[in-house]
Amino acid sequence: MDQAKYDQMQGMLNKLQDIKNSQESIIDKINHVITDLFQDPDKDLEKAMEEAHEKASANVDKIAEAIDEYEIKFNKLQQQ
């Protein structure tokens, strides 16, 4: 694999990892809101945060799968 292709693919992996980290940070912030709701309950907000948590968790899973698949491609190309 030439250096330009390597750099491009490595950059893509870095961006994917950054997206995953951002989603994990969102989950952490949602968890803080959910925890705060124990002190000052609000059923509507709790429901919204639970739904947001589910969607963010699904995003993390999907991005992690994409990273794994892309790393496999990247590694195969490096071995050629």
Side-chain angles (χ1 to χ4, degrees):
M1 169 183 341
D2 66 16
Q3 188 64 40
K5 182 70 172 175
Y6 175 88
D7 291 344
Q8 176 193 19
M9 292 185 83
Q10 185 63 53
M12 186 67 72
L13 281 171
N14 292 342
K15 288 175 187 173
L16 290 168
Q17 190 62 48
D18 186 48
I19 293 167
K20 183 174 171 269
N21 292 342
S22 295
Q23 287 294 308
E24 289 171 342
S25 178
I26 289 170
I27 290 170
D28 187 47
K29 290 174 184 176
I30 291 169
N31 285 336
H32 286 292
V33 171
I34 290 170
T35 301
D36 290 346
L37 287 170
F38 289 132
Q39 300 297 322
D40 187 19
D42 182 315
K43 292 294 181 193
D44 293 331
L45 184 54
E46 185 177 332
K47 182 179 178 192
M49 290 299 96
E50 288 173 358
E51 289 174 8
H53 189 281
E54 286 178 28
K55 290 178 182 179
S57 294
N59 284 343
V60 168
D61 293 342
K62 194 59 123 169
I63 294 164
E65 289 173 19
I67 289 170
D68 290 344
E69 291 172 12
Y70 199 75
E71 282 179 332
I72 290 169
K73 272 187 209 177
F74 185 50
N75 292 336
K76 283 182 181 177
L77 286 173
Q78 281 182 308
Q79 293 173 359
Q80 292 179 356

